[in-house]
Amino acid sequence: MAVATDEVERRIDSLSHALRASGLRLTHQRLEVVREVAQSDRHPDVESIYRAVRERVPTISLDTVYRTLATLDGLGLVKRVTATPGPARYDANTAHHHHFVCTRCGLIRDVDDQELDAVSAARGAAPFGSVESIEVQLRGICNDCRTKERDHD
Amino acid sequence: MAVATDEVERRIDSLSHALRASGLRLTHQRLEVVREVAQSDRHPDVESIYRAVRERVPTISLDTVYRTLATLDGLGLVKRVTATPGPARYDANTAHHHHFVCTRCGLIRDVDDQELDAVSAARGAAPFGSVESIEVQLRGICNDCRTKERDHD
DNA sequence: GTTACTGCAAACTTTTTGCACGACA
DNA sequence: TGTCGTGCAAAAAGTTTGCAGTAAC
């Protein structure tokens, strides 16, 4: 668990309130799916979340995980990350932040940086529509992949 | 065709050279797939490219389009766009640029902006790896979706 | 007690792969 | 002519959906 315990608690609390406010039910399955996503800062995909939650809720089904994540996304409690091709991945950090993306292995890590936060809606985007959020993707090679590359020399 | 004819020509030229340099064959199918992607600035998905190319090469198969795009991506002649969930989309603009993304309909448009180009590799990313490229995603609602929204009031 | 949610199974969409024929160099 | 690329078909991967039983409120 790489996310601080109190932040995990805060995220789970926020879930309960948001569900109640929307008239949705706080089920065991939803709670455990959120707990799983909230604990991780690795932007896990649906399959990983499913496997992890099943350790605690052995009867949960994959489609419930899909449905739960879609519901939570709709409520703004998690965000679907679209930085890599392939399986859907989710992020419980709903605060404004940026991403480092490894183009080799697909690692995604949150980047908090005030300089990047200061990037403002470009004039270049004005003709297309109204900008509501800005995310900077820093693409490159992660430390692990770089090390592996050296080992193969 | 929204991309200037001479730019399309330049991209097709660049294909021929790159394929030859890699010892790959310049087939009719590859040429027409590139022409299709190079002509468009809408970041088409594989299915759209397939449909469009089939008008000129009726016998082409969908899996050839998939394979061709993967090959071209490997050579750096097109880039797979990972800004929206769902089907793979491709961009023939391999120059450094940014994207406006409509979160409602999935529209993606290239944004050229010197201010955004000036965004530099954040210190915040340093611990994770080496940054090789930076893309800014400007997310919001496009003009068309905004208009539709008003019409439904 | 209602009604929304879940699990199961099946369907659907998107993408990949094996193989034999045909076309490029 | 040799070999790579294509088309076909089937499979694999990822995601969605209908339905009947179950659990939350």
Side-chain angles (χ1 to χ4, degrees), chain B residues 30-47:
Chain B
R30 285 180 176 161
L31 182 64
E32 292 305 324
V33 167
V34 171
R35 192 191 304 285
E36 195 51 44
V37 183
Q39 275 175 5
S40 173
D41 58 358
R42 306 294 291 230
H43 313 79
D45 62 18
V46 180
E47 189 71 33

Side-chain angles (χ1 to χ4, degrees), chain B residues 37-63:
Chain B
V37 183
Q39 275 175 5
S40 173
D41 58 358
R42 306 294 291 230
H43 313 79
D45 62 18
V46 180
E47 189 71 33
S48 313
I49 299 167
Y50 172 57
R51 280 200 307 272
V53 172
R54 211 169 32 168
E55 309 246 313
R56 283 171 277 134
V57 190
T59 59
I60 199 170
S61 66
L62 180 59
D63 54 290

